[in-house]
Structure formats: C-alpha cells, structure tokens
C-alpha cells in the first residue's frame, strides 16, 4: 500500500534499524521502545491487522513466527525469554495498520501475571 509506513519500511523508502530479514518477513527496532529490546516483525505483504492476515493468508502467520523463532534464538533473546503482542483496532490501541508483531524482552516484563 503506497501510504502505509511499514510498506515504506519494507521498500526502504523510509529508514529503519533492521535486525532480521528473509524472503517474506522483516524485523526492525521500534522507534519508541517499551522494553530494553523492542522489535517489530512484519510480513512483506500488506495486511491491515491480524484478522485480515489470518482470513486472507494464514500461511503468513507461520512465516512471521518462524522469523521470530530464528531471530530470537540467534540473538540470545529466546534464552532469557520474550513476549509477542499484536494490537487490533481502537481498544487494542493499534496505530499502524500494517499487521505487526511486537517482540518485547531483554528485561523482566511487567503485567500478565507478574
Ligand atoms: P501499534 O500501536 O501496535 O500499532 O504499534 C505501532 C508501533 O510502531 C509503535 O510501537 C510505534 O512506536 C512503532 N513505529 C511507528 N513508526 C515507526 C517507524 N518509522 N519505525 C519503527 N517503529 C515505528
Ligand atoms: Zn503496509
């Protein structure tokens, strides 16, 4: 999508700090980190949110989660642990409408049972 900022990051029309890339997926650092390590993983193909992606192209879910698995193991993030979050719509506080998965870690995270 031409006006989508994450599509522009895929096409390298706007800068990002990439930590991972393969044929299908890229991972880059979030501009406003909410944890010591805060990455965003996205499929190169545009979809607006997790429901859009799951309905239209469910295989893309495994593309993204394989990428997260590969990156988290090679970077060492997986040995201390991490959290994956995806936001949808207004109550989910989604602000960028290209499906993305926040990968948070590098420190003990609060919330969700702690
Ligand atoms: P969400 O609220 O789930 O839609 O998350 C969007 C995320 O994208 C936020 O955490 C932003 O900090 C992040 N973000 C927005 N623009 C950029 C950018 N150009 N590069 C990296 N991260 C970005
Ligand atoms: Zn997009």
């Amino acid at each position: 999508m031409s006006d989508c900022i994450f599509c522009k990051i895929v096409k390298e029309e706007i800068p990002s700090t990439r930590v991972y890339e393969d044929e299908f997926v890229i991972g880059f650092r979030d501009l406003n980190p909410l944890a010591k390590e805060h990455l965003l993983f996205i499929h190169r193909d545009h979809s607006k949110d997790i429901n859009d992606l799951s309905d239209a192209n469910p295989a893309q879910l495994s593309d993204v989660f394989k990428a997260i698995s590969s990156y988290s193991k090679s970077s060492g993030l997986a040995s201390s642990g991490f959290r994956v979050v995806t936001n949808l719509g207004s109550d989910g506080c989604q602000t960028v409408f290209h499906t993305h998965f926040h990968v948070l870690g590098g420190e003990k995270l609060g919330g969700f049972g702690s």
Side-chain angles (χ1 to χ4, degrees):
M1 258 182 110
S2 58
D3 60 346
C4 168
I5 59 165
F6 285 0
C7 283
K8 287 182 180 165
I9 285 177
V10 169
K11 289 185 276 183
E12 298 185 69
E13 290 171 5
I14 61 172
S16 69
T17 307
R18 283 194 192 194
V19 297
Y20 177 90
E21 59 188 309
D22 66 29
E23 187 183 353
F24 304 117
V25 174
I26 68 168
F28 53 97
R29 296 202 175 278
D30 196 293
L31 264 188
N32 301 296
L34 297 176
K36 214 164 166 191
E37 294 290 331
H38 186 171
L39 301 321
L40 298 172
F41 278 75
I42 64 174
H43 206 280
R44 291 179 187 271
D45 290 346
H46 181 88
S47 59
K48 84 176 161 71
D49 59 37
I50 187 65
N51 280 358
D52 186 22
L53 182 151
S54 300
D55 291 346
N57 277 302
Q60 292 184 356
L61 278 173
S62 57
D63 295 337
V64 173
F65 278 90
K66 278 183 197 167
I68 292 172
S69 173
S70 172
Y71 171 76
S72 66
K73 287 188 266 185
S74 65
S75 67
L77 200 56
S79 60
S80 47
F82 63 92
R83 180 178 293 158
V84 180
V85 173
T86 189
N87 296 323
L88 185 150
S90 174
D91 282 357
C93 301
Q94 184 179 6
T95 58
V96 176
F97 293 86
H98 180 129
T99 311
H100 53 280
F101 297 84
H102 299 260
V103 173
L104 300 144
E107 63 181 315
K108 194 81 172 173
L109 301 169
F112 293 103
S114 60

